Amino acid sequence: MEDKLHLYETFIKFTAYLGVRGGLPITKVKKILTGSFKIHAYSDELMPIVKEVTSDDKDLDFLFDECIRMCDELGPSREYFTLITLLENITNEITRKGNPEADELSKKVLSRFREEITLINQKIPKPPLFNMLLESRSLVEWASIYAIYPFIPKRIKGEGKPVLLIPPYLGDDYSTSFVRRYLTSLGFKTYKWDQGFNLVKSHYIPRLEEKLDDIYRIHGEKVSIVGWSGGGLFAKIIANRHPKQVQQIVTIGSPVWGVMDMKTPVNGILEFFRGKSLKERNKRFIEELEPIPNVPITCIYTKTDGLLPWKHCMEAESYRDDIKNIEVYGSHSGLGANVSVLLITANALSANIQGKTIKETTLEVERILYPFYWNKKKRSLFFLN
C-alpha cells in the first residue's frame, strides 16, 4: 500500500503541474482531483496530498518518467485505468480552455501515458505450468460438490430478484447448474442463457439483449447478470450497453480487460478450431470490454487459475467504491462447483441490491476447506509486510 500511495503522490504532482501548464488555475486542478478521489479506496490518505499540492515549477518530463517508473516497478495492474481516467479529465478541462498549444501538449502527454501503461500491462505472463497441471483437480471439485452442497448455508433471501446466468467458453447451461440451483434455493429468480454451448462469438449478443429486455419487462426491475469465464465477457458488454436495465454484474474467473494482449495456453487451441485469429475476428467485440460499466461489479478470481492470467480477471477497485475483487481458491474449470464462489455470488447479489458492503466470506469458508493454502498465504503476507 505504501508503494501505491507513493505512486499516487507523484501522479498528483504530475497532473497538477500539467493542469497548470495547460492554463488551469491550481484551484480548478484540485477540484478535479478531489472529485476523482472522493470514492477512491485510498481517499483518506489522498485528500491531504491533493490539499497540499502546489503549482511550483517542476520538470514535467521528470514527473512523467517517475510515474511510469513506479508503475513498471509495481507491475501490471488494472488499477492504472484510474490514473488514465484522471489524466483524461485534466486533458478535457485543458481542451475547454481553447489554447491550441496547451491542448496539443496535454493530448500528447495523455497519449504517451496510455502507450507506456499498455506496454507495462502486456507483461502479464500466462499461467504457470504448475497451475495448468492443477486444472485436473476440477474433476474432484465437481465430484465433491454433490456431497458438500446440502451443507452450504442458506441465510440470504433473494426475494424473487431476477438473475441471468451465462456459462463459460465451451460450456452450456449445465455448467451453471449448481450456481443457479443455489441462488434459486435462496429465493432468486434465475434464468438460463438458452443458447447452447458458449463459443464466445459476438452474434450471441442480440439474443442476450432480447433476453435481458424480456426479463426486465417481466419483473419491472433491473436484472443482475452472473457470467463465468467467457460468460463474464458478455455480462460486461451487456452492462456497458444497457446500464439502465442491469442491476449489477458478477464475473467468475472472467478476463474483464486486456483481452487483446492476454497470454493464455488455450489461445492456440481456440484459433486452431475456429480457423482465424480471435483478435482479428472479435476486435470490436473485445474493445467493448475495456470501458467499466456504470453498475456495481464483483470480480471473483483465483490465483491458482491454470487457464487465464488471474490479473486479467480483476477490475479497477480504485475507480469506484462499488467495484470489488474477491479471491477464492480452486481451479478455473471447477469454479462452477466451488463452494466459496456460490457463497460470494449470493452475498454480492444481495449486498449490491440492498446497497450494502459485500461480506468477505472467502477466508471464513476456505480456512476450513483449504487450510494449507490460506495459512501459507498468511505467512507470505506477513513476511512481505
Side-chain angles (χ1 to χ4, degrees), residues 79 83 115 121 275:
E79 296 300 326
L83 303 184
E115 289 171 4
N121 282 337

Side-chain angles (χ1 to χ4, degrees), residues 139-198:
L139 298 173
V140 177
E141 291 167 328
W142 280 99
S144 62
I145 189 65
Y146 289 94
I148 298 172
Y149 182 83
F151 303 99
I152 302 175
K154 297 180 176 64
R155 301 188 186 95
I156 289 173
K157 295 180 180 179
E159 299 178 344
K161 298 295 182 181
V163 183
L164 172 62
L165 292 100
I166 308 176
Y169 177 72
L170 293 181
D172 59 4
D173 286 316
Y174 178 78
S175 306
T176 60
S177 58
F178 276 105
V179 184
R180 281 188 288 106
R181 179 180 170 187
Y182 181 62
L183 294 179
T184 301
S185 73
L186 298 175
F188 291 98
K189 176 60 178 175
T190 61
Y191 291 87
K192 302 176 183 179
W193 97 310
D194 289 324
Q195 296 197 57
F197 290 101
N198 183 0

Side-chain angles (χ1 to χ4, degrees), residues 115-134:
E115 289 171 4
E116 293 290 346
I117 292 300
T118 298
L119 290 174
I120 291 170
N121 282 337
Q122 285 175 351
K123 296 177 182 178
I124 299 177
K126 68 180 180 181
L129 178 61
F130 181 70
N131 282 11
M132 292 164 59
L133 295 174
L134 277 178

Side-chain angles (χ1 to χ4, degrees), residues 224-279:
S224 298
I225 305 178
V226 178
W228 172 18
S229 190
L233 307 186
F234 291 113
K236 190 174 180 185
I237 289 172
I238 294 297
N240 268 321
R241 291 188 180 186
H242 306 283
K244 292 183 179 180
Q245 291 181 303
V246 176
Q247 175 68 45
Q248 63 181 304
I249 63 171
V250 178
T251 64
I252 305 169
S254 301
V256 292
W257 69 279
V259 176
M260 289 286 284
D261 301 305
M262 186 174 67
K263 302 176 184 70
T264 165
V266 299
N267 262 352
I269 299 172
L270 301 184
E271 290 174 8
F272 174 79
F273 281 114
R274 292 169 60 179
K276 206 172 188 181
S277 168
L278 297 176
K279 296 176 184 177

Side-chain angles (χ1 to χ4, degrees), residues 206-219:
R207 289 186 62 186
L208 274 173
E209 290 175 315
E210 288 178 15
K211 182 129 194 160
L212 174 69
D213 192 53
D214 289 342
I215 299 171
Y216 181 78
R217 274 192 287 103
I218 291 169
H219 289 266

